[in-house]
Amino acid sequence: MKVTKAQAQANRAHIVETASTLFRERGYDGVGVADLMGAAGFTHGGFYKHFGSKADLMAEAAACGFATSAEALAGTDLRAFLTYYLSREHRDTPGQGCTMAALCTDAARQPASVKAAFATGIQAQLEDGSGRDGHVDAAAAERSRARRIALIAQAVGAVVLSRSCPDDAALADEILDACRNDILARLPDAPAA
């Protein structure tokens, strides 16, 4: 039975979404093509009908993860988002969580196409936060961007450090708590201490 073009596109999108979740759960090296295709409900023989290589899929899956996060964040309260992001719930569900926190360290060791997908996704995150401060002059815009970079780096780093600790370690929670409290205290609408 011949697969229609529309069905082939839907199958490809399903494979990318499945890969995005599995890569966040297990890392790039923790998921083989056969496992990935099986999880998506296909045989591994069909992989190369959709992708030139596993690296091609990794780049698409990263872009999918960033896009999914952007959609979920649209219109979300920053304080509420950061409270969730720096929580045990987010820490313990990497497959459903942030692509940066789950895969940045893996991406650093991958081909240029994967690194480019991360750079594009990170840049989009930075641009998504721009304009909220109401700054118009170049110096203020530059400071605002620097603050967004620092906030993202601290939040992602906190999750990465927490995940590197044993699941039941008090340190895992301490890292999240310390960074959440620090970040929330520095937000512009934070109450005076």
Side-chain angles (χ1 to χ4, degrees):
M1 178 177 191
K2 185 161 172 68
V3 176
T4 66
K5 189 173 186 174
Q7 186 59 53
Q9 290 173 336
N11 291 347
R12 179 186 176 98
H14 178 65
I15 294 166
V16 170
E17 290 169 4
T18 301
S20 179
T21 299
L22 288 177
F23 288 146
R24 283 180 280 155
E25 286 175 358
R26 303 182 201 166
Y28 290 129
D29 293 335
V31 181
V33 169
D35 291 336
L36 190 145
M37 293 298 283
F42 302 104
T43 63
H44 72 277
F47 178 83
Y48 291 100
K49 291 179 183 175
H50 295 284
F51 308 97
S53 67
K54 183 178 173 185
D56 290 346
L57 174 58
M58 292 184 321
E60 278 193 53
C64 175
F66 279 107
T68 300
S69 292
E71 289 171 18
L73 287 173
T76 302
D77 175 70
L78 181 60
R79 192 170 285 281
F81 166 73
L82 288 167
T83 299
Y84 167 75
Y85 190 93
L86 294 163
S87 71
R88 180 57 88 138
E89 182 182 356
H90 177 243
R91 176 216 189 255
D92 291 347
T93 55
Q96 304 306 313
C98 174
T99 298
M100 288 184 287
L103 292 169
C104 271
T105 57
D106 280 14
R109 296 176 192 87
Q110 298 304 323
S113 62
V114 176
K115 290 180 182 182
F118 269 79
T120 299
I122 293 166
Q123 182 65 34
Q125 293 284 326
L126 292 171
E127 290 173 2
D128 184 49
S130 66
R132 290 184 188 166
D133 300 337
H135 297 302
V136 290
D137 69 70
E142 190 174 312
R143 286 190 304 275
S144 178
R145 180 179 171 87
R147 283 193 301 273
R148 287 191 308 277
I149 290 170
L151 186 145
I152 290 170
Q154 183 178 8
V156 169
V159 175
V160 170
L161 286 175
S162 179
R163 285 180 178 161
S164 71
C165 297
D167 287 344
D168 61 349
L171 180 59
D173 291 324
E174 184 181 5
I175 291 166
L176 294 173
D177 293 343
C179 291
R180 182 180 54 251
N181 292 339
D182 180 66
I183 288 171
L184 293 177
R186 290 184 289 117
L187 289 180
D189 61 342

